[in-house]
Coordinates of all heavy atoms in Angstrom, one line a residue:
W1 N -10.4 195.3 51.4 CA -11.6 195.9 52.0 C -12.7 194.9 52.3 O -13.5 195.2 53.2 CB -12.1 197.0 51.0 CG -11.3 198.2 51.0 CD1 -10.3 198.5 51.8 CD2 -11.5 199.4 50.2 NE1 -9.8 199.8 51.5 CE2 -10.5 200.3 50.5 CE3 -12.4 199.7 49.1 CZ2 -10.4 201.5 49.9 CZ3 -12.2 200.9 48.5 CH2 -11.3 201.8 48.9
M2 N -12.8 193.8 51.5 CA -13.7 192.8 51.9 C -13.4 192.2 53.2 O -14.2 191.8 54.0 CB -13.8 191.7 50.8 CG -14.4 192.2 49.5 SD -16.2 192.3 49.6 CE -16.6 190.6 49.6
L3 N -12.1 192.0 53.5 CA -11.7 191.5 54.8 C -12.0 192.5 55.9 O -12.2 192.0 57.1 CB -10.1 191.2 54.8 CG -9.6 190.1 54.0 CD1 -8.1 190.0 54.0 CD2 -10.2 188.8 54.5
L4 N -12.0 193.8 55.6 CA -12.4 194.8 56.7 C -13.9 194.9 56.8 O -14.4 195.9 57.4 CB -11.7 196.1 56.3 CG -10.2 196.1 56.4 CD1 -9.7 197.4 55.9 CD2 -9.7 195.9 57.8
E5 N -14.7 194.1 56.1 CA -16.1 194.1 56.1 C -16.7 195.4 55.5 O -17.7 195.9 55.9 CB -16.7 193.9 57.5 CG -16.3 192.6 58.1 CD -16.9 192.4 59.5 OE1 -17.6 193.3 60.0 OE2 -16.7 191.3 60.1
A6 N -16.0 195.9 54.5 CA -16.4 197.1 53.8 C -16.8 196.7 52.4 O -16.1 197.0 51.4 CB -15.4 198.2 53.7
E7 N -17.9 195.9 52.3 CA -18.3 195.3 51.0 C -18.7 196.3 50.0 O -18.4 196.2 48.8 CB -19.4 194.3 51.2 CG -19.0 193.1 52.1 CD -19.3 193.3 53.5 OE1 -19.8 194.4 53.9 OE2 -19.0 192.4 54.4
F8 N -19.4 197.4 50.4 CA -19.8 198.4 49.5 C -18.6 199.1 48.8 O -18.6 199.3 47.6 CB -20.7 199.4 50.2 CG -21.2 200.5 49.4 CD1 -22.2 200.3 48.4 CD2 -20.6 201.8 49.5 CE1 -22.6 201.3 47.6 CE2 -21.0 202.8 48.7 CZ -22.0 202.6 47.7
L9 N -17.6 199.5 49.6 CA -16.5 200.1 49.1 C -15.7 199.2 48.1 O -15.2 199.7 47.1 CB -15.6 200.6 50.2 CG -16.1 201.7 51.1 CD1 -15.2 202.0 52.2 CD2 -16.5 203.0 50.3
A10 N -15.6 197.9 48.5 CA -14.9 197.0 47.6 C -15.6 196.8 46.3 O -15.0 196.9 45.2 CB -14.8 195.6 48.3
I11 N -16.9 196.7 46.3 CA -17.7 196.6 45.0 C -17.6 197.9 44.2 O -17.5 197.8 43.0 CB -19.2 196.2 45.4 CG1 -19.2 194.8 46.0 CG2 -20.0 196.2 44.1 CD1 -20.5 194.3 46.5
T12 N -17.7 199.0 44.9 CA -17.6 200.3 44.2 C -16.2 200.5 43.6 O -16.1 201.0 42.5 CB -17.9 201.4 45.2 OG1 -19.1 201.3 45.9 CG2 -17.8 202.8 44.5
L13 N -15.2 200.0 44.3 CA -13.8 200.1 43.7 C -13.8 199.3 42.4 O -13.2 199.7 41.4 CB -12.8 199.6 44.7 CG -11.4 199.6 44.3 CD1 -10.9 201.0 44.0 CD2 -10.5 198.9 45.3
V14 N -14.3 198.1 42.4 CA -14.2 197.2 41.2 C -15.1 197.8 40.1 O -14.7 197.9 39.0 CB -14.7 195.8 41.6 CG1 -14.8 194.9 40.4 CG2 -13.7 195.2 42.6
L15 N -16.3 198.2 40.5 CA -17.3 198.7 39.4 C -16.8 200.0 38.8 O -16.8 200.2 37.6 CB -18.7 198.8 40.0 CG -19.4 197.5 40.3 CD1 -20.8 197.7 40.9 CD2 -19.5 196.6 39.1
V16 N -16.5 200.9 39.7 CA -16.2 202.3 39.2 C -14.8 202.4 38.6 O -14.6 202.8 37.4 CB -16.4 203.3 40.3 CG1 -16.0 204.7 39.8 CG2 -17.8 203.3 40.8
Y17 N -13.8 202.0 39.4 CA -12.4 202.2 38.9 C -12.0 201.1 37.9 O -11.5 201.5 36.8 CB -11.5 202.2 40.1 CG -11.5 203.5 40.9 CD1 -12.3 203.7 41.9 CD2 -10.6 204.5 40.5 CE1 -12.3 204.9 42.6 CE2 -10.6 205.7 41.2 CZ -11.5 205.9 42.3 OH -11.5 207.1 42.9
V18 N -12.2 199.9 38.2 CA -11.8 198.8 37.3 C -12.8 198.8 36.1 O -12.3 198.7 34.9 CB -11.8 197.5 38.0 CG1 -11.4 196.4 37.0 CG2 -10.8 197.5 39.1
G19 N -14.1 198.9 36.3 CA -15.0 198.8 35.2 C -15.2 200.0 34.3 O -15.5 199.8 33.2
A20 N -14.9 201.2 34.8 CA -15.1 202.4 34.0 C -13.8 203.2 33.8 O -13.4 203.4 32.7 CB -16.2 203.2 34.7
V21 N -13.2 203.6 34.9 CA -12.1 204.5 34.8 C -10.9 203.8 34.2 O -10.3 204.4 33.2 CB -11.7 205.1 36.2 CG1 -10.5 206.0 36.1 CG2 -12.9 205.8 36.8
M22 N -10.6 202.6 34.6 CA -9.4 202.0 34.0 C -9.6 201.5 32.6 O -8.7 201.5 31.8 CB -9.0 200.7 34.9 CG -8.3 201.1 36.2 SD -7.0 202.3 35.9 CE -6.0 201.5 34.8
V23 N -10.8 201.2 32.3 CA -11.1 200.8 30.9 C -10.9 202.1 30.0 O -10.4 202.0 28.9 CB -12.6 200.3 30.7 CG1 -12.9 200.2 29.3 CG2 -12.7 198.9 31.4
L24 N -11.4 203.2 30.5 CA -11.1 204.5 29.8 C -9.6 204.8 29.7 O -9.2 205.2 28.6 CB -11.8 205.6 30.5 CG -11.7 207.0 30.0 CD1 -12.3 207.1 28.6 CD2 -12.3 208.1 30.9
F25 N -8.9 204.6 30.7 CA -7.4 204.8 30.7 C -6.8 203.9 29.6 O -5.9 204.3 28.9 CB -6.8 204.6 32.0 CG -7.0 205.7 33.0 CD1 -6.6 205.6 34.3 CD2 -7.6 206.9 32.6 CE1 -6.8 206.6 35.3 CE2 -7.8 207.9 33.5 CZ -7.4 207.7 34.8
L26 N -7.2 202.6 29.6 CA -6.7 201.7 28.7 C -7.0 202.0 27.3 O -6.1 201.9 26.4 CB -7.2 200.3 29.1 CG -6.4 199.1 28.6 CD1 -5.0 199.1 29.1 CD2 -7.1 197.8 29.0
F27 N -8.2 202.5 27.0 CA -8.5 202.9 25.6 C -7.7 204.1 25.2 O -7.2 204.2 24.1 CB -10.0 203.2 25.5 CG -10.8 202.0 25.3 CD1 -11.9 201.6 26.1 CD2 -10.6 201.1 24.2 CE1 -12.6 200.5 25.9 CE2 -11.3 200.0 23.9 CZ -12.4 199.7 24.8
V28 N -7.6 205.1 26.1 CA -6.8 206.3 25.8 C -5.3 205.9 25.5 O -4.7 206.4 24.6 CB -6.9 207.3 26.9 CG1 -5.9 208.4 26.7 CG2 -8.3 207.8 27.0
V29 N -4.8 205.1 26.4 CA -3.4 204.7 26.2 C -3.2 203.9 24.9 O -2.2 204.1 24.2 CB -2.9 203.9 27.4 CG1 -1.6 203.2 27.1 CG2 -2.7 204.7 28.6
M30 N -4.1 203.1 24.5 CA -4.0 202.3 23.3 C -4.2 203.1 22.1 O -3.7 202.8 21.0 CB -4.9 201.1 23.4 CG -4.5 200.0 24.5 SD -5.7 198.7 24.6 CE -5.4 197.8 23.0
M31 N -5.1 204.1 22.2 CA -5.4 204.9 21.0 C -4.3 206.0 20.7 O -4.1 206.4 19.6 CB -6.8 205.6 21.2 CG -7.9 204.6 21.1 SD -9.5 205.4 21.4 CE -9.6 206.6 20.1
L32 N -3.7 206.5 21.8 CA -2.7 207.5 21.6 C -1.4 206.9 21.1 O -1.0 205.8 21.5 CB -2.4 208.2 22.9 CG -3.5 209.1 23.4 CD1 -3.1 209.7 24.8 CD2 -3.9 210.2 22.5
D33 N -0.7 207.6 20.2 CA 0.6 207.1 19.7 C 1.7 207.7 20.7 O 2.2 208.7 20.5 CB 0.8 207.7 18.3 CG 2.0 207.0 17.7 OD1 2.5 206.1 18.2 OD2 2.5 207.5 16.6
I34 N 2.0 206.9 21.7 CA 2.9 207.4 22.7 C 4.3 206.9 22.4 O 4.6 205.7 22.1 CB 2.5 206.8 24.1 CG1 1.1 207.3 24.5 CG2 3.5 207.2 25.2 CD1 0.6 206.7 25.8
N35 N 5.2 207.9 22.3 CA 6.6 207.6 22.1 C 7.3 207.2 23.4 O 7.6 208.1 24.2 CB 7.3 208.8 21.4 CG 8.7 208.5 20.9 OD1 9.2 207.4 21.1 ND2 9.3 209.4 20.2
I36 N 7.4 205.9 23.6 CA 7.9 205.4 24.9 C 9.4 205.8 25.1 O 9.8 206.2 26.2 CB 7.8 203.9 25.0 CG1 6.3 203.5 24.9 CG2 8.3 203.4 26.3 CD1 6.0 202.1 24.8
A37 N 10.2 205.8 24.1 CA 11.6 206.2 24.2 C 11.7 207.6 24.6 O 12.5 208.0 25.5 CB 12.3 205.9 22.9
R38 N 10.9 208.5 24.0 CA 11.0 209.9 24.3 C 10.5 210.2 25.8 O 10.9 211.1 26.4 CB 10.2 210.7 23.3 CG 10.3 212.2 23.5 CD 9.5 213.0 22.4 NE 9.6 214.4 22.6 CZ 9.0 215.3 21.9 NH1 8.2 214.8 20.9 NH2 9.1 216.6 22.1
M39 N 9.5 209.3 26.2 CA 8.9 209.5 27.5 C 9.9 209.2 28.6 O 9.9 209.8 29.7 CB 7.7 208.6 27.6 CG 6.9 208.8 28.9 SD 5.3 207.9 28.9 CE 6.0 206.2 28.8
H40 N 10.9 208.3 28.3 CA 11.9 207.9 29.3 C 13.2 208.6 29.2 O 14.1 208.3 29.9 CB 12.1 206.4 29.2 CG 11.0 205.5 29.6 ND1 10.7 205.3 31.0 CD2 10.1 204.8 29.0 CE1 9.6 204.5 31.1 NE2 9.2 204.2 29.9
E41 N 13.2 209.7 28.3 CA 14.5 210.4 28.1 C 14.9 211.1 29.4 O 16.0 211.2 29.7 CB 14.3 211.4 27.0 CG 14.4 210.7 25.6 CD 14.3 211.7 24.5 OE1 14.0 212.9 24.8 OE2 14.4 211.3 23.3
G42 N 13.9 211.8 30.1 CA 14.3 212.6 31.2 C 14.2 211.9 32.5 O 14.2 212.5 33.6
F43 N 14.3 210.5 32.5 CA 14.2 209.7 33.7 C 15.4 209.9 34.6 O 15.3 210.2 35.8 CB 14.0 208.2 33.4 CG 13.9 207.3 34.6 CD1 12.7 207.3 35.3 CD2 15.0 206.6 35.0 CE1 12.6 206.5 36.4 CE2 14.9 205.8 36.1 CZ 13.7 205.7 36.8
I44 N 16.6 209.9 34.0 CA 17.8 210.0 34.8 C 17.9 211.5 35.3 O 18.4 211.7 36.4 CB 19.0 209.6 34.0 CG1 18.9 208.1 33.6 CG2 20.3 209.8 34.8 CD1 18.8 207.1 34.7
K45 N 17.5 212.4 34.5 CA 17.7 213.8 34.9 C 16.8 214.2 36.1 O 17.3 214.9 36.9 CB 17.3 214.7 33.7 CG 17.5 216.2 33.9 CD 17.4 217.0 32.6 CE 15.9 217.1 32.3 NZ 15.7 218.0 31.1
F46 N 15.6 213.6 36.2 CA 14.7 213.9 37.3 C 14.8 212.9 38.4 O 13.9 212.9 39.3 CB 13.3 214.1 36.8 CG 13.1 215.2 35.9 CD1 12.9 215.0 34.5 CD2 13.2 216.6 36.3 CE1 12.8 216.1 33.6 CE2 13.0 217.6 35.5 CZ 12.8 217.4 34.1
L47 N 15.7 211.9 38.3 CA 15.8 210.9 39.3 C 16.1 211.4 40.7 O 15.5 211.0 41.7 CB 16.8 209.8 38.9 CG 16.9 208.6 39.8 CD1 15.6 207.9 39.9 CD2 18.1 207.7 39.4

């Protein structure tokens, strides 16, 4: 987006999504006890 001269959108993407939303996602993922093996059980079935 910086190459397309959309500096405001690029800065907003970094500040809002990387700085706030993704940090929230990361905290939620790290705090939850996610069973990865169970999460991948239905991968072949829904492929």
Side-chain angles (χ1 to χ4, degrees):
W1 281 358
M2 289 287 286
L3 289 175
L4 295 174
E5 297 181 1
E7 295 89 1
F8 177 75
L9 294 178
I11 293 172
T12 304
L13 178 67
V14 172
L15 291 179
V16 175
Y17 282 92
V18 177
V21 177
M22 283 313 304
V23 171
L24 177 64
F25 285 174
L26 200 57
F27 275 124
V28 169
V29 167
M30 293 177 69
M31 289 176 64
L32 293 177
D33 188 14
I34 299 175
N35 191 352
I36 301 174
R38 185 177 179 184
M39 189 173 61
H40 289 283
E41 282 180 357
F43 180 76
I44 301 298
K45 185 170 74 172
F46 295 107
L47 185 61

